């Protein structure tokens, strides 16, 4: 505790995640030993397969992109005191909307029209699905965690039915391809070293959105209201801010972020919507947002780490089961939760000591 | 004919309802003590996995059941450690635990049976009665030791919560921890017992799931823990109310399966979403009128 006052604000913010990562690393070593493999070899294989070559690095960034978006999808409502567990459903419906709009446009549609239309449809679908639990909470008090979970199942069933019964190309589980104008170019076009990697322009979009989220949260009136509601709904009410409306709005913006994941997969990678493509990115987004302390910059860093783990899982699969990575991700969050209260207390004590001096 | 059909339907409802009911009982104990338990889903999955692992390793179905219950208790203990000892937010911790169990069981599945989807077949506790046809199915369920145990636990939960000193203390911790503390109730320890009970009951729910299939398959809890959570709310934090809500959810799911079998032309996927939609409606319609434990989600000293 005597250590914390000497660290700056940023240092304190990084201490918890640092301790949590260290703990997860130790657990990871133990699990690797349980599998009968050498931790050093596994770790170097993980690094070599990710940051060790341009292709691996491209794939890390490609896998981090949806995590930035789903991380923001959880982080923005979290700042307003709401836990958005429904990112998975928002991802699926958003991507489906992107795919459907992308394939329905006239074939000669120019990119400046096709791209915003397809991406905008994804944003709107995700936002609508995300706003629903927020609105239900404001209206009836139903806890957003349970309702957004239920809505996940409903969204998955809905998308599955729409694709299987109406949209799919015969004998497949994907929709017809989007028009050429709605495709996002791969970065390998300008950086030949990335050849083979699916890294595309949506990564830049995700980074731009993270900056926008920072501006929204910390530099606008709305963001101030949002954070006020998160700190104390009662205080917000006295200040004339409606917690219900702000909560619904925060969930809608978050849902919209998740809805844009389709840009990476549909517009940047496959060119169509595919059933079951999401593979849990919505849930990993929860871990990303918590590790990133619900701060956009933290979210980007955490997404980078989890993207590395996700790509690294493939690289180490020959040595240990790649499911190890899922365990590590959850352990990071649990360890982080354990450190947060003590750190909060330490920070409080430091502030009191300073004001007393 | 229709009488037989409805008998088959009744058996189906009870079979489906059983894991919901056990998990919802678990959720009731945890939440009555003031700790929201989102981890029901993970606890159930852990119970199912531990049952299969135990039954497979020892060859004894009943040792498997014990292992399943202990597996559930283990996850509940982790939740208790993170929330009661380290003061973390119980909802976030529950979500993290669900991720941990989902990943952990996949990891162990690969390690133990070298499969990404399911374990090998194991023996489950056998029913004491058996027979032919619909009546036989009913006898097989009513004479199943796990079913009888579950019925006993339903009744026992009501007595424990409303007729014993422990139940009174637990409810006090959920309503006003500071007052309970002042009256000499050890809040932390009482809540810990509530959570452990929750883990045992919900672990048993997982045992039933895996015992019916004679194996573990990846993600086999399939959202049942969350439905059970909705049942806790719909049942107004009463054990018997929660069981009643679970019967409704079980009936919806059985109806959904019967409709699918009858080939009504309704899309399968939408029918499968029916229980979740029903839970949503129940939550939003009832939660406003039902009063949760006053200190639900609050720490020992009343802080958030």
């Amino acid at each position: 505790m005597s250590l914390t006052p000497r660290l700056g604000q940023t240092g304190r913010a990084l201490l918890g995640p640092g301790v949590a990562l260290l703990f997860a690393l130790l657990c990871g070593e133990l699990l690797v030993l349980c599998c009968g493999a050498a931790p050093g070899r596994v770790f170097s294989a993980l690094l070599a397969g990710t940051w060790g070559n341009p292709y691996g690095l491209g794939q890390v960034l490609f896998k981090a992109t949806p995590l930035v978006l789903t991380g923001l999808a959880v982080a923005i409502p979290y700042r307003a005191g709401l836990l958005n567990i429904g990112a998975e459903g928002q991802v699926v419906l958003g991507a489906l909307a992107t795919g459907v709009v992308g394939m329905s446009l006239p074939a000669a549609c120019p990119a400046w029209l096709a791209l915003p239309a397809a991406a905008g449809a994804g944003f709107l679908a995700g936002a609508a699905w995300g706003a629903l639990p927020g609105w239900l909470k404001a209206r009836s008090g139903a806890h957003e965690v349970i309702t957004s979970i239920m809505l996940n199942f409903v969204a998955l069933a809905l998308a599955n039915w729409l694709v299987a019964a109406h949209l799919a190309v015969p004998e497949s589980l994907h929709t017809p391809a989007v028009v050429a104008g709605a495709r996002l170019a791969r970065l390998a076009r300008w950086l030949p070293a990335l050849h083979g990697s699916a890294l595309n322009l949506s990564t830049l979009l995700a980074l731009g959105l993270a900056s926008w989220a920072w501006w929204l949260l910390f530099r606008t009136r709305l963001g101030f209201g949002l954070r006020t509601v998160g700190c104390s709904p009662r205080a917000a009410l006295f200040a004339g801010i409606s917690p219900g409306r702000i909560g619904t709005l925060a969930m809608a913006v978050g849902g919209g972020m998740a809805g844009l994941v389709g840009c990476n997969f549909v517009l940047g990678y496959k060119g169509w919507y595919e059933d079951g493509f999401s593979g849990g990115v919505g849930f990993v987004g929860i871990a990303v947002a918590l590790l990133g302390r619900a701060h956009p910059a933290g979210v980007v860093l955490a997404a980078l780490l989890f993207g590395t783990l996700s790509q690294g899982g493939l690289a180490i699969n020959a040595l240990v089961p790649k499911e190890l990575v899922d365990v590590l991700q959850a352990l990071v969050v649990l360890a982080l939760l354990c450190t947060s209260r003590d750190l909060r207390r330490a920070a409080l004590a430091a502030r009191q000591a300073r004001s007393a001096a | 004919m229709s009488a037989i059909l409805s008998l088959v339907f009744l058996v189906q409802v009870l079979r489906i309802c059983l894991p919901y009911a056990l998990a919802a009982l678990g959720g009731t104990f945890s939440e009555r003590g003031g700790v929201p338990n989102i981890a029901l889903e993970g606890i159930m999955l852990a119970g199912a996995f531990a049952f299969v692992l135990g039954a497979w390793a020892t060859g004894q179905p009943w040792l498997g059941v014990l292992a399943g219950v202990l597996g559930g208790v283990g996850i509940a203990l982790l939740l208790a450690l993170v929330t009661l000892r380290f003061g973390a937010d119980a909802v976030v911790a529950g979500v993290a635990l669900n991720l941990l169990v989902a990943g952990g069981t996949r990891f162990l599945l690969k390690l133990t049976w070298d499969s990404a989807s399911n374990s090998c077949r194991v023996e489950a506790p056998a029913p004491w009665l058996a027979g032919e046809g619909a009546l036989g199915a009913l006898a097989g369920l009513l004479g199943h030791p796990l079913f009888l145990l579950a019925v006993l636990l339903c009744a026992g939960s009501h007595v424990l919560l409303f007729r014993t000193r422990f139940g009174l203390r637990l409810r006090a911790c959920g309503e006003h921890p500071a007052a309970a503390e002042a009256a000499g109730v050890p809040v932390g320890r009482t809540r810990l017992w509530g959570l452990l009970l929750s883990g045992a009951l919900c672990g048993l729910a997982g045992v039933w799931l895996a015992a019916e299939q004679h194996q573990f398959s990846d993600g086999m809890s399939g959202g049942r823990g969350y439905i059970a959570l909705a049942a806790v709310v719909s049942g107004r934090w009463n054990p018997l109310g929660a069981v009643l809500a679970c019967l409704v959810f079980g009936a919806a799911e059985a109806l959904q399966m019967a409709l699918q079998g009858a080939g009504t032309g309704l899309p399968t996927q939408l029918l499968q979403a029916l229980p979740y939609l029903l839970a949503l409606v129940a939550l939003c319609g009832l939660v406003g009128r039902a009063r949760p434990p006053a200190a639900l989600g609050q720490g020992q000293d009343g802080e958030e």
Side-chain angles (χ1 to χ4, degrees):
Chain A
M1 259 198 204
S2 59
L3 180 78
T4 30
R6 260 180 280 147
L7 294 168
Q9 197 188 356
T10 323
R12 272 201 303 273
L14 290 179
L15 191 61
V19 172
L21 286 177
L22 211 62
F23 172 77
L25 201 68
L26 275 176
C27 290
E29 292 218 352
L30 280 178
L31 287 174
V32 168
L33 285 174
C34 288
C35 302
R41 264 189 71 198
V42 171
F43 192 64
S44 60
L46 193 146
L47 273 185
T50 52
W51 295 75
N53 62 76
Y55 167 76
L57 186 59
Q59 284 301 92
V60 166
L61 296 177
F62 170 68
K63 295 203 166 158
T65 302
L67 298 182
V68 171
L69 292 170
T70 52
L72 291 174
V74 180
I76 295 170
Y78 197 77
R79 285 276 172 180
L82 294 167
L83 189 56
N84 179 15
I85 309 281
E88 190 75 7
Q90 294 145 19
V91 165
V92 164
L93 287 187
L96 182 62
T98 298
V100 168
V101 168
M103 75 188 212
S104 322
L105 291 168
C109 189
W112 61 264
L113 190 65
L115 276 177
F123 183 89
L124 287 180
W129 204 251
L132 208 50
W135 178 74
L136 287 173
K137 172 149 196 177
R139 227 185 97 86
S140 69
H143 201 292
E144 80 280 0
V145 167
I146 313 183
T147 52
S148 59
I149 279 277
M150 301 289 160
L151 285 171
N152 271 347
F153 290 105
V154 177
L156 289 175
L158 195 65
N160 186 260
W161 169 64
L162 281 174
V163 171
H166 296 289
L167 297 166
V169 175
E171 314 277 324
S172 81
L173 279 174
H174 63 78
T175 60
V178 298
V179 296
R183 293 299 302 263
L184 277 171
R186 292 189 179 194
L187 292 188
R189 213 165 109 187
W190 299 283
L191 299 165
L194 291 172
H195 182 73
S197 162
L199 181 66
N200 56 71
L201 286 174
S202 68
T203 304
L204 301 180
L205 174 75
L207 283 177
L209 284 169
S211 329
W212 177 75
W214 176 84
W215 175 81
L216 178 79
L217 282 174
F218 299 105
R219 286 292 178 273
T220 66
R221 219 184 145 95
L222 176 65
F224 178 73
L226 203 148
R227 288 182 292 128
T228 309
V229 170
C231 287
S232 166
R234 268 171 68 83
L237 211 56
F238 280 115
I241 304 167
S242 154
R245 196 178 316 143
I246 289 279
T248 309
L249 202 61
M251 286 293 285
V253 173
M257 295 285 171
L260 286 171
V261 166
C263 291
N264 189 43
F265 185 86
V266 177
L267 305 183
Y269 175 38
K270 287 279 172 139
W272 55 60
Y273 174 86
E274 199 168 271
D275 204 34
F277 87 95
S278 56
V281 287
F283 294 112
V284 181
I286 302 164
V288 167
L290 291 173
L291 182 63
R293 288 275 152 122
H295 190 288
V299 164
V300 171
L301 287 178
L304 216 52
L305 175 76
F306 281 21
T308 308
L309 282 177
S310 155
Q311 176 65 18
L314 301 176
I316 59 173
N317 203 17
L319 300 168
V320 288
K322 65 173 189 303
E323 287 77 9
L324 177 73
V325 167
D326 303 335
V327 180
L328 286 186
Q329 289 177 346
L331 280 176
V332 170
V333 179
L334 275 176
L336 193 65
L337 286 173
C338 294
T339 60
S340 54
R341 183 178 69 167
D342 293 338
L343 284 173
R344 208 164 51 226
R345 293 218 166 136
L348 198 69
R351 214 176 305 144
Q352 280 164 354
R354 212 175 306 140
S355 58
Chain B
M1 180 67 193
S2 68
I4 302 290
L5 263 182
S6 64
L7 200 60
V8 171
F9 185 74
L10 178 73
V11 172
Q12 186 77 329
V13 170
L14 288 176
R15 272 183 183 283
I16 294 173
C17 168
L18 196 137
Y20 285 143
L22 285 173
L25 286 180
T28 306
F29 276 112
S30 166
E31 303 218 336
R32 274 290 181 154
V35 185
N37 196 346
I38 305 283
L40 289 180
E41 178 77 8
I43 294 176
M44 202 189 273
L45 198 60
F49 186 85
F51 160 72
V52 172
L53 193 67
W56 173 75
T58 63
Q60 302 286 330
W62 282 102
L63 282 180
V65 174
L66 185 68
V69 171
L70 288 179
V73 170
I75 302 298
L77 201 60
L78 263 180
L79 182 63
L81 179 76
V82 177
T83 55
L84 302 179
R85 168 68 186 82
F86 288 106
D89 181 76
V91 173
V92 184
V95 171
L97 275 174
N98 288 342
L99 290 175
L100 180 71
V101 176
T105 49
R106 265 204 300 277
F107 177 70
L108 291 173
L109 201 57
K110 199 71 163 286
L111 218 55
T112 320
W113 290 287
D114 195 27
S115 156
S117 56
N118 52 268
S119 71
C120 66
R121 197 186 142 82
V122 294
E123 281 305 314
W128 289 331
L129 301 172
E132 298 280 307
L135 277 174
L138 185 66
L141 181 68
L142 295 184
H144 199 295
L146 283 178
F147 180 79
L148 295 175
L149 181 63
V151 173
L152 273 179
L153 286 172
C154 291
S157 295
H158 180 81
V159 174
L160 184 61
L161 195 58
F162 293 113
R163 293 281 180 276
T164 66
R165 205 166 69 145
F166 168 75
L168 181 64
R169 288 178 155 196
L170 187 70
R171 286 182 285 134
C173 292
E175 294 294 340
H176 204 310
E181 192 79 55
V185 177
V187 174
R189 209 183 318 153
T190 310
R191 284 181 165 177
L192 173 67
W193 279 111
L195 268 178
L196 294 185
L197 257 176
S198 178
L201 286 164
C202 198
L204 196 60
V207 169
W208 176 262
L209 280 183
E212 276 219 299
Q213 312 265 323
H214 290 277
Q215 65 167 6
F216 177 86
S217 52
D218 181 29
M220 75 184 306
S221 50
R224 286 183 179 81
Y226 300 115
I227 297 240
L229 216 49
V232 173
V233 180
S234 312
R236 304 188 176 191
W237 290 271
N238 270 336
L240 297 182
V243 171
L244 199 66
C246 290
L247 274 171
V248 176
F249 290 139
E253 203 174 315
L255 185 71
Q256 172 267 118
M257 288 162 89
L259 283 175
Q260 260 185 60
T264 47
L266 287 165
T268 339
Q269 296 91 340
L270 297 190
L271 282 175
Q272 275 164 359
L274 197 67
Y276 302 107
L277 276 174
L278 187 73
L280 257 179
V281 172
L283 270 177
C284 299
L286 287 173
V287 81
R289 279 180 283 142
R291 196 183 66 80
L296 189 61
Q298 282 178 12
Q300 211 159 313
D301 34 11
E303 66 170 316
E304 274 289 311

